[in-house]
């Protein structure tokens, strides 16, 4: 059993050391779907403004038993490299 733990630990270390951060794209598009007591969906768009800044816009809809809702959100983000 100790051999398996040691092998797992070695594999984990190699994996952790080989991971690198991904390149941040100029544009990104996302979709979130959810369901708790109704249906909810949200589409999100991110745009690079500068080297370290981004703008994100979200448009969402929620349909539940109690209420229906539409939301619009705008976010200004600062992105820094972790060295």
């Amino acid at each position: 059993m100790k051999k398996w733990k040691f092998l797992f630990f070695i594999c984990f270390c190699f994996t952790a050391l080989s991971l690198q951060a991904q390149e941040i794209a100029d544009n990104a598009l996302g979709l979130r779907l959810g369901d708790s007591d109704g249906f909810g969906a949200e589409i999100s768009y991110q745009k690079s403004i500068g080297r370290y800044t981004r703008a994100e816009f979200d448009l969402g809809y929620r349909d539940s038993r109690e209420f229906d809702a539409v939301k619009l959100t705008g976010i200004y983000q600062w992105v820094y490299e972790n060295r």
Side-chain angles (χ1 to χ4, degrees), residues 1-66:
M1 187 68 168
K2 285 188 174 191
K3 287 183 180 181
W4 283 108
K5 287 182 182 180
F6 180 72
L7 181 61
F8 177 76
F9 176 74
I10 295 297
C11 290
F12 176 78
C13 287
F14 279 118
T15 303
L17 290 174
S18 67
L19 292 177
Q20 296 178 7
Q22 68 183 18
E23 178 96 13
I24 297 176
D26 288 337
N27 298 301
L29 188 63
L31 178 65
R32 285 188 277 268
L33 300 174
D35 182 20
S36 58
D37 67 342
F39 177 74
E42 183 174 320
I43 188 164
S44 117
Y45 174 72
Q46 289 184 355
K47 171 72 175 141
S48 176
I49 297 173
R51 183 173 180 185
Y52 297 111
T53 57
R54 301 179 67 78
E56 179 176 346
F57 303 99
D58 301 322
L59 178 62
Y61 174 73
R62 173 136 174 96
D63 175 22
S64 71
R65 293 182 205 131
E66 304 296 323

